[in-house]
């Protein structure tokens, strides 16, 4: 009998040399940033910087493809930064910056790749083409690479405008929409890898394409891509954790809703032969909602703590806060509903799809139709 | 026959069952979500007059009784929340003992019969002894961090009962206790104490607009009030020892255990002009006036003193002192009177057209406007520190200098609002003093442009305006115009007199009603088909005659009139427009700002929230609890060892794909474990 059977690999042995290298690279990068900018960082920002090392090291170990992705983002971003020579005007003078990896160019590439990925997934689904599906996966990964590079470079560009203007690019509706596309795509890619099935990409990428459509409209109709300085209320380290946590929630809920749509289609026999089994969709739906619920809870709590510092109270029944609560209650209800014996898949799928409407209203509708303290994201 | 088999429960028990059921939980969560929507659709906490205006008196009363203007503190909403607390508590009470038992139990007394009924079960044949098998399986499970308990069975075999992921049960207790904790924390910080006192008639809301020190004790809350959230606005150099709490259509006065003084308020800007920071330099004094500490509070950086947090909430004018020139608009006087004003206070104004009250409302030291295109500038009025939209601003924005606003109230109490800029503004290459007027607060300002004369002051325009109101000068100007137009010779004397008369008449009409009066005159006196032509001629004559009028007025004042030409032409045209607009301006005077001494004020929010730590503790428990519940799966495994064979069975609360996969993995491993 194998010893392996009784002795599962201890944690340290399951970490390969590549994982170690990745962690060391992260630590070196953070160490460099710390040494270079420590005087400009508050204690909390230092904690965020240091905390990023184990977080991403763990993420890279937990999900292997994160490592090459982050390496790619780092290489492309550093390359772009090196091309700037500290001069923002070079954005329109250097070939690589103008057409490939200035923040705006990279984000436009992200949009392009995401649309192509959606088309590929649909061709693959309808034409039963494994090749097209695989292309969809690769296009999505490339889009994620370009999108994150775009955000990184945008972060740097904001400091080139003026050191006092510089800030992490998750502060307005344009920037968070890019973040939404990236997070949703990544969450989907994780489940795609985990369940070894690509067909659902066709559905999930639809919601991402809708977001891409919004970004394009917002860019070309409203010139929203300009980097703007932060209003005083947003100048806080809380933003660096509150916003990403929120968007992991939104992204996961979107994936769950699209799983719901896929489930409903398949359960009615539409495309059923081309899609995975219903249990798979149901399982991903549950998992995505679980992940989304945990992160959304964290995000709302962080938001409350930030509000306590900036607005004078951890809960003011501001429309955005209230809608966050409504979203939370909705998914809490979903999770309870799942425990009731007589509630079956289709009801849960419908509820998850409805959840996306509630989530979208909380994310966009509140800014469009209601006024309140979260008014930095007007349309 | 189904009724016969149904067990009849006592009502108390039935209620308990209902409140702690999953169905009730789902319904309750949905109901709270829907109820919460109301408060986001209907703007909360607005002045009651706004609601009356919006809904009419009937619906206003209905909505008021339903508490829709402050939904989240309405009785019925609190009752729903109370249901949430009760239901959650009952769930905890009902399920926790079972949960704890489940967490601790290994279910090692499972019988062969019950194991045989498991869906996830596999049997193996083995030549190995029970002891060897036991050792192998125990090592296998322990290496995977399963907890196990072994029990010998009557047939000489063993039963290994194992479990993993029991923490998910703890997650249930954490998450649900957290909800109760958070609600209790929120309740502590709510205004429950006041509500109770209000119900008992001890306290009541103050609705009158009276000085703070006249507010009776029934509407004051003492410094021992454990939790509050109030606002106060303090001008620079001023101080406060109370805050105001808005409740319904009135307010309460909360006494503070210290004195809060504002030394200075200042705004920092980005290079692009948008505000970067709002800072208040404050001092805290003890009630007897001893300085305790100096500090600066800004957005995101509150100060906590004596358990009370002080936040930067808004800013405004704290009573800036304004030096003004009051230009009479409807008297033949061409000199201005000096006057002073203080923002947030008022001055009486006596004019020939009656008595007015000037109520100074705002002063802004700078105004960033989109210049160049579009209608007259609209001023950014957002004086809130929070929010704001950074995508506004940027290109084409320009600081056009200070402005102030005032209301002019006549003897009947009717008021119009005015917004005057201190500095001239350039439009289409020419400079004007801008004065905006509106008759209702929700309208945009409409601007009169007073043109600047040759020496870049208002003096020229005001002289011309005064001359229009001087009949003697008008006649003289008409004669001078006729003389220049027709030459001085005796031959034209008749025509000259006629032209002078008609010109004087025209100037007279214009002086009494501007272009509108002139237009009416043309409409009534000139045949329809000739009206356009006549209007053109009249306009030409009016401009030229006005130039003569200006010349006369300037000469009288000892000033040099502007030489004829394009510049003078535009000045005359602009002057005529401005003069004509005076008839809709609706004020007997124009107030020109000459100097100011800005006094700012800062709005603070002060809170005392002892429930905050309870809420945070609840939040921590909530996150841990949810993560445990959702990410830790509870599974059980039984390995029944008998001489010659092994039975492996597994169970989980929810049969997911992961569980199926895990069962497949363990049953494959067992295959190897039972071999030599």
């Amino acid at each position: 009998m194998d010893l392996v059977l009784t002795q599962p690999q201890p944690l340290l042995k399951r970490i390969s040399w590549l994982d170690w290298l990745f962690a060391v690279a992260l630590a070196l990068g953070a160490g460099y940033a710390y040494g270079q900018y420590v005087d400009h960082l508050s204690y909390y920002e230092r904690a965020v910087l240091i905390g990023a090392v184990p977080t991403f090291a763990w993420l890279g170990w937990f999900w292997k493809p994160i490592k090459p992705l982050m390496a790619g983002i780092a290489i492309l971003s550093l390359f772009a930064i090196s091309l700037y020579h500290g001069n923002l005007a070079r954005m329109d003078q250097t070939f690589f910056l103008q057409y490939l990896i200035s923040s705006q160019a990279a984000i436009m590439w992200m949009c392009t790749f995401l649309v192509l990925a959606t088309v590929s997934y649909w061709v693959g689904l309808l034409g039963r083409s494994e090749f097209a599906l695989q292309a969809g996966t690769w296009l999505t990964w490339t889009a994620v690479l370009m999108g994150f590079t775009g955000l990184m470079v945008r972060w740097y560009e904001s400091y080139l405008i003026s050191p006092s203007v510089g800030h992490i690019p998750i502060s307005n509706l344009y920037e968070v929409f890019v973040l939404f596309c990236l997070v949703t795509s990544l969450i989907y890619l994780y489940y795609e890898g985990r369940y070894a099935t690509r067909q659902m990409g066709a559905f999930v990428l639809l919601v991402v394409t809708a977001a891409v459509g919004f970004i394009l409209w917002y860019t070309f109709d409203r010139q929203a891509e300009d980097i703007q300085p932060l209003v005083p209320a947003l100048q806080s380290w809380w933003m660096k954790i509150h916003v990403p946590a929120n968007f992991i929630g939104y992204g996961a809920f979107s994936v769950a809703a699209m799983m719901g749509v896929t489930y409903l289609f398949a359960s009615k026999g539409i495309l059923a032969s081309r899609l995975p089994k219903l249990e798979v969709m149901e399982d991903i739906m549950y998992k995505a909602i679980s992940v989304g619920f945990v992160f959304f809870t964290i995000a709302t709590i962080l938001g409350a703590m930030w509000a306590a510092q900036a607005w004078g109270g951890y809960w003011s029944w501001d429309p955005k806060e209230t809608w966050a609560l409504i979203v939370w209650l909705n998914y809490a209800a979903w999770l309870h509903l799942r425990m009731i014996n007589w509630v079956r898949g289709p009801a849960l799928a419908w509820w998850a799809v409805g959840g996306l409407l509630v989530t979208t209203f909380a994310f966009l509708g509140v800014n469009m139709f209601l006024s309140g303290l979260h008014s930095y994201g007007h349309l | 026959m189904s009724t016969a088999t149904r067990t009849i429960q006592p009502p108390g028990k039935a209620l308990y069952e209902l409140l702690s059921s999953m169905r009730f939980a789902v319904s309750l969560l949905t109901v709270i979500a829907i109820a919460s929507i109301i408060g986001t659709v209907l703007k909360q906490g607005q002045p009651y007059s706004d609601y009356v205006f919006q809904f009419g008196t009937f619906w206003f009363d209905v909505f008021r009784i339903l508490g829709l203007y402050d939904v989240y503190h309405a009785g019925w909403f609190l009752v729903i929340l109370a249901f949430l607390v009760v239901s959650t508590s009952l769930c905890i009470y009902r399920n926790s003992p079972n949960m704890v038992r489940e967490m601790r139990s290994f279910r090692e007394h499972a019988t062969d019969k019950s194991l045989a009924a498991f869906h996830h079960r596999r049997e193996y044949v083995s030549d190995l002894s029970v002891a060897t098998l036991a050792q192998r399986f125990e090592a296998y499970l322990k290496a995977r961090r399963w907890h196990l308990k072994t029990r010998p069975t009557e047939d000489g075999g063993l039963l290994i009962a194992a479990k993993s992921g029991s923490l998910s049960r703890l997650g249930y207790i954490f998450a649900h206790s957290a909800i109760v904790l958070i609600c209790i924390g929120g309740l502590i910080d709510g205004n429950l104490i006041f509500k109770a006192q209000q119900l008992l008639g001890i306290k009541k809301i103050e609705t009158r607009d009276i000085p703070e020190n006249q507010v009776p004790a029934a509407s004051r809350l003492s410094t021992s009030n454990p939790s509050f959230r109030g606002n106060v606005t303090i001008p620079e150099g001023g101080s406060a020892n109370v805050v105001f709490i808005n409740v319904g259509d009135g307010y309460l006065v909360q006494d503070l255990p210290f004195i809060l003084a504002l030394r200075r308020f200042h705004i920092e800007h980005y290079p692009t002009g948008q505000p970067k920071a709002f800072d208040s330099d404050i001092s805290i004094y003890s009630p007897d006036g001893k300085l305790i500490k100096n500090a600066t509070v800004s957005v995101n950086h509150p100060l906590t003193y004596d358990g009370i947090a002080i936040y930067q909430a808004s800013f405004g004018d704290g009573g800036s002192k304004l030096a003004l020139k009051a230009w009479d608009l409807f008297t033949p006087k061409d000199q201005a009177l000096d006057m002073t004003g203080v923002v947030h206070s008022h001055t009486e104004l006596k004019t020939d057209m009656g008595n007015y009250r000037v109520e100074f409302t705002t002063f802004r030291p700078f105004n960033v406007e989109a210049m160049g295109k579009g209608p007259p500038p609209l001023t950014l009025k957002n004086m809130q520190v929070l929010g704001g939209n950074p995508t506004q601003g940027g290109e084409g924005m320009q600081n056009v200098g200070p402005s102030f606003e005032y209301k002019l109230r006549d003897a009947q109490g009717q008021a119009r609002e005015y917004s005057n800029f201190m500095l001239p503004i350039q439009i289409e290459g020419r400079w004007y003093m801008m004065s905006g007027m509106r008759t209702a607060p929700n309208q945009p300002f409409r601007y009169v442009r007073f043109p600047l004369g040759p020496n870049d002051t208002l003096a020229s325009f005001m002289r011309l305006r005064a001359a229009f109101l001087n009949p003697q000068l008008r006649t003289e100007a008409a004669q001078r115009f006729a003389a220049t137009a027709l030459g001085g010779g005796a031959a034209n004397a008749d025509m000259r007199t006629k032209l002078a008369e008609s010109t004087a008449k025209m100037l007279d009409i214009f002086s009494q009603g501007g272009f509108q009066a002139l237009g009416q005159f043309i409409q009534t006196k000139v045949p329809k088909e000739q009206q356009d032509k006549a209007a053109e001629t009249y306009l030409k004559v009016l401009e030229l005659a006005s130039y003569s009028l200006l010349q006369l007025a300037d000469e009288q004042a000892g000033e040099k009139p502007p030489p004829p030409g394009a510049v003078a032409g535009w000045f005359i045209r602009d002057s005529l427009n401005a003069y004509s607009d005076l008839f809709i301006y609706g004020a007997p005077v124009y107030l020109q700002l000459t100097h100011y001494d800005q006094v700012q004020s800062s709005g603070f929010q002060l809170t005392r929230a002892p429930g905050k730590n309870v809420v945070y503790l609840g939040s921590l428990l909530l996150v841990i609890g949810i993560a445990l519940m959702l990410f830790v799966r509870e599974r059980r495994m039984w390995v029944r060892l008998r001489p010659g064979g092994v039975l492996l069975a597994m169970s989980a609360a929810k049969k997911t794909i992961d569980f199926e996969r895990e069962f497949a993995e363990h049953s494959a491993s067992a295959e190897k474990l039972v071999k030599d």
Side-chain angles (χ1 to χ4, degrees), chain A residues 263-329:
Chain A
Y263 182 97
L264 290 171
F265 269 98
S267 67
K268 299 233 160 32
I270 304 165
L271 296 172
S273 67
R274 291 176 166 82
L275 288 166
K277 283 192 294 187
L278 288 180
E279 293 88 72
V280 173
M281 264 98 77
E282 206 180 345
D283 204 55
I284 297 178
M285 189 160 69
Y286 168 66
K287 289 228 168 91
I289 285 182
S290 300
V291 169
F293 192 66
V294 169
F295 276 93
F296 197 80
T297 307
I298 293 173
T300 308
I301 293 168
L302 291 175
M305 294 168 93
W306 186 4
Q309 198 181 51
W311 297 342
Y314 51 85
W315 197 261
S316 316
W317 294 102
D318 169 69
K320 195 79 169 183
E321 283 176 350
T322 309
W323 274 95
L325 176 70
I326 293 166
V327 170
W328 190 87
L329 290 168

Side-chain angles (χ1 to χ4, degrees), chain B residues 324-565:
Chain B
L324 306 160
K325 272 185 179 174
W327 295 94
D328 265 350
L329 296 178
F330 294 102
T331 66
K333 212 165 48 178
D334 65 356
Q335 293 299 314
L337 280 178
D338 286 330
M339 80 183 254
T340 56
V342 176
V343 174
H344 301 318
S345 58
H346 58 84
T347 310
E348 300 303 326
L349 187 70
K350 287 191 170 60
T351 73
D352 297 349
M353 298 168 72
N355 292 344
Y356 289 85
R357 195 162 96 152
V358 190
E359 301 165 10
F360 297 95
T361 50
T362 339
F363 168 77
R364 268 187 292 275
F366 55 85
N367 290 277
V368 179
E369 304 285 355
M371 296 302 292
K373 43 189 170 195
L378 291 171
T379 309
L380 297 175
K381 298 240 164 35
N382 190 355
M383 307 285 270
Q384 281 285 315
V385 167
L386 311 167
N389 185 359
T391 58
Q392 282 175 350
E395 281 163 50
M397 301 306 277
Q398 188 184 331
N399 179 10
V400 296
S403 73
F404 72 109
E405 286 175 21
Y406 57 96
K407 282 183 185 162
L408 198 65
R409 200 176 289 282
D410 63 22
Q412 284 77 46
Q414 295 290 320
R416 290 176 181 229
E417 281 181 68
Y418 295 87
S419 169
N420 294 355
F421 286 87
M422 182 188 195
L423 300 177
I425 290 170
Q426 195 180 31
I427 298 168
E428 292 157 2
R430 302 190 299 284
W431 292 88
Y432 305 92
M433 297 301 293
M434 306 287 282
S435 176
M437 184 277 291
R438 64 182 175 193
T439 48
N442 51 354
Q443 286 176 353
F445 280 106
R446 289 182 297 155
Y447 286 84
V448 174
R449 307 170 177 184
F450 297 114
L452 293 192
N455 44 4
D456 291 337
T457 65
L458 274 181
S460 287
F461 169 76
M462 288 299 173
R463 265 200 298 279
L464 178 59
R465 182 201 54 75
F468 265 118
L469 295 169
N470 183 335
Q472 199 194 331
L473 273 184
R474 283 204 304 264
T475 319
E476 255 181 75
Q479 281 162 359
R480 183 187 283 212
F481 160 72
T484 32
L486 296 171
N492 295 332
D494 243 17
M495 266 174 74
R496 212 163 47 216
T497 318
K498 262 186 144 171
L499 179 61
E501 270 171 19
S502 60
T503 307
K505 171 89 178 145
M506 188 171 67
L507 285 178
D508 185 37
I509 294 166
F510 183 79
S511 72
Q512 285 170 30
F515 286 122
Q516 214 195 336
L518 208 55
Q520 269 168 3
F521 176 75
I522 293 171
Q523 268 172 2
T524 49
K525 294 285 151 97
V526 182
K528 204 162 176 92
E529 60 279 6
Q530 288 170 28
Q531 280 179 5
D532 281 355
K533 186 105 177 44
E536 211 176 297
T537 316
Y538 270 51
L539 205 58
K540 189 93 194 151
V541 172
L542 178 65
E543 284 177 12
L544 291 169
S546 300
Y547 180 62
S548 299
L549 190 60
L550 177 65
Q551 279 179 319
L552 273 172
D554 278 352
E555 282 159 15
Q556 269 199 358
E559 298 282 335
K560 216 166 111 334

